[in-house]
mmCIF file with all atom_site columns, all heavy atoms in Angstrom:
data_model
loop_
_atom_site.group_PDB
_atom_site.id
_atom_site.type_symbol
_atom_site.label_atom_id
_atom_site.label_alt_id
_atom_site.label_comp_id
_atom_site.label_asym_id
_atom_site.label_entity_id
_atom_site.label_seq_id
_atom_site.pdbx_PDB_ins_code
_atom_site.Cartn_x
_atom_site.Cartn_y
_atom_site.Cartn_z
_atom_site.occupancy
_atom_site.B_iso_or_equiv
_atom_site.pdbx_formal_charge
_atom_site.auth_seq_id
_atom_site.auth_comp_id
_atom_site.auth_asym_id
_atom_site.auth_atom_id
_atom_site.pdbx_PDB_model_num
ATOM 1  N N   . GLN A 1 80 ? 70.116 109.514 116.527 1.00 0.00 ? 1321 GLN A N   1
ATOM 2  C CA  . GLN A 1 80 ? 69.888 109.400 114.989 1.00 0.00 ? 1321 GLN A CA  1
ATOM 3  C C   . GLN A 1 80 ? 70.856 110.325 114.331 1.00 0.00 ? 1321 GLN A C   1
ATOM 4  O O   . GLN A 1 80 ? 71.379 110.030 113.234 1.00 0.00 ? 1321 GLN A O   1
ATOM 5  C CB  . GLN A 1 80 ? 68.468 109.975 114.602 1.00 0.00 ? 1321 GLN A CB  1
ATOM 6  C CG  . GLN A 1 80 ? 68.090 109.996 113.288 1.00 0.00 ? 1321 GLN A CG  1
ATOM 7  C CD  . GLN A 1 80 ? 68.332 108.749 112.382 1.00 0.00 ? 1321 GLN A CD  1
ATOM 8  O OE1 . GLN A 1 80 ? 67.961 107.727 112.975 1.00 0.00 ? 1321 GLN A OE1 1
ATOM 9  N NE2 . GLN A 1 80 ? 68.823 108.774 111.248 1.00 0.00 ? 1321 GLN A NE2 1
ATOM 10 N N   . GLU A 1 81 ? 71.330 111.426 114.975 1.00 0.00 ? 1322 GLU A N   1
ATOM 11 C CA  . GLU A 1 81 ? 72.238 112.344 114.376 1.00 0.00 ? 1322 GLU A CA  1
ATOM 12 C C   . GLU A 1 81 ? 73.609 111.641 114.067 1.00 0.00 ? 1322 GLU A C   1
ATOM 13 O O   . GLU A 1 81 ? 74.243 112.139 113.138 1.00 0.00 ? 1322 GLU A O   1
ATOM 14 C CB  . GLU A 1 81 ? 72.428 113.691 115.260 1.00 0.00 ? 1322 GLU A CB  1
ATOM 15 C CG  . GLU A 1 81 ? 72.980 113.342 116.513 1.00 0.00 ? 1322 GLU A CG  1
ATOM 16 C CD  . GLU A 1 81 ? 72.777 114.418 117.546 1.00 0.00 ? 1322 GLU A CD  1
ATOM 17 O OE1 . GLU A 1 81 ? 71.758 115.263 117.489 1.00 0.00 ? 1322 GLU A OE1 1
ATOM 18 O OE2 . GLU A 1 81 ? 73.704 114.652 118.445 1.00 0.00 ? 1322 GLU A OE2 1
ATOM 19 N N   . LEU A 1 82 ? 74.008 110.693 114.723 1.00 0.00 ? 1323 LEU A N   1
ATOM 20 C CA  . LEU A 1 82 ? 75.113 109.849 114.432 1.00 0.00 ? 1323 LEU A CA  1
ATOM 21 C C   . LEU A 1 82 ? 75.058 109.196 113.160 1.00 0.00 ? 1323 LEU A C   1
ATOM 22 O O   . LEU A 1 82 ? 75.920 109.299 112.271 1.00 0.00 ? 1323 LEU A O   1
ATOM 23 C CB  . LEU A 1 82 ? 75.385 108.870 115.456 1.00 0.00 ? 1323 LEU A CB  1
ATOM 24 C CG  . LEU A 1 82 ? 76.495 107.838 115.291 1.00 0.00 ? 1323 LEU A CG  1
ATOM 25 C CD1 . LEU A 1 82 ? 77.865 108.598 115.321 1.00 0.00 ? 1323 LEU A CD1 1
ATOM 26 C CD2 . LEU A 1 82 ? 76.547 106.763 116.326 1.00 0.00 ? 1323 LEU A CD2 1
ATOM 27 N N   . PHE A 1 83 ? 73.916 108.581 112.840 1.00 0.00 ? 1324 PHE A N   1
ATOM 28 C CA  . PHE A 1 83 ? 73.618 107.949 111.535 1.00 0.00 ? 1324 PHE A CA  1
ATOM 29 C C   . PHE A 1 83 ? 73.568 108.949 110.423 1.00 0.00 ? 1324 PHE A C   1
ATOM 30 O O   . PHE A 1 83 ? 74.074 108.645 109.285 1.00 0.00 ? 1324 PHE A O   1
ATOM 31 C CB  . PHE A 1 83 ? 72.356 107.128 111.572 1.00 0.00 ? 1324 PHE A CB  1
ATOM 32 C CG  . PHE A 1 83 ? 72.424 105.958 112.476 1.00 0.00 ? 1324 PHE A CG  1
ATOM 33 C CD1 . PHE A 1 83 ? 71.945 106.020 113.783 1.00 0.00 ? 1324 PHE A CD1 1
ATOM 34 C CD2 . PHE A 1 83 ? 72.975 104.696 112.033 1.00 0.00 ? 1324 PHE A CD2 1
ATOM 35 C CE1 . PHE A 1 83 ? 71.999 104.883 114.539 1.00 0.00 ? 1324 PHE A CE1 1
ATOM 36 C CE2 . PHE A 1 83 ? 73.097 103.547 112.931 1.00 0.00 ? 1324 PHE A CE2 1
ATOM 37 C CZ  . PHE A 1 83 ? 72.607 103.667 114.196 1.00 0.00 ? 1324 PHE A CZ  1
ATOM 38 N N   . ASP A 1 84 ? 73.009 110.154 110.642 1.00 0.00 ? 1325 ASP A N   1
ATOM 39 C CA  . ASP A 1 84 ? 72.989 111.275 109.739 1.00 0.00 ? 1325 ASP A CA  1
ATOM 40 C C   . ASP A 1 84 ? 74.286 111.670 109.357 1.00 0.00 ? 1325 ASP A C   1
ATOM 41 O O   . ASP A 1 84 ? 74.580 111.874 108.210 1.00 0.00 ? 1325 ASP A O   1
ATOM 42 C CB  . ASP A 1 84 ? 72.057 112.305 110.227 1.00 0.00 ? 1325 ASP A CB  1
ATOM 43 C CG  . ASP A 1 84 ? 70.624 111.991 110.422 1.00 0.00 ? 1325 ASP A CG  1
ATOM 44 O OD1 . ASP A 1 84 ? 70.134 110.883 109.815 1.00 0.00 ? 1325 ASP A OD1 1
ATOM 45 O OD2 . ASP A 1 84 ? 69.872 112.644 111.138 1.00 0.00 ? 1325 ASP A OD2 1
ATOM 46 N N   . ALA A 1 85 ? 75.208 111.773 110.296 1.00 0.00 ? 1326 ALA A N   1
ATOM 47 C CA  . ALA A 1 85 ? 76.591 112.367 110.003 1.00 0.00 ? 1326 ALA A CA  1
ATOM 48 C C   . ALA A 1 85 ? 77.366 111.261 109.204 1.00 0.00 ? 1326 ALA A C   1
ATOM 49 O O   . ALA A 1 85 ? 78.124 111.638 108.313 1.00 0.00 ? 1326 ALA A O   1
ATOM 50 C CB  . ALA A 1 85 ? 77.275 112.613 111.330 1.00 0.00 ? 1326 ALA A CB  1
#
Side-chain angles (χ1 to χ4, degrees):
Q1321 175 62 36
E1322 59 197 35
L1323 174 66
F1324 292 98
D1325 294 342

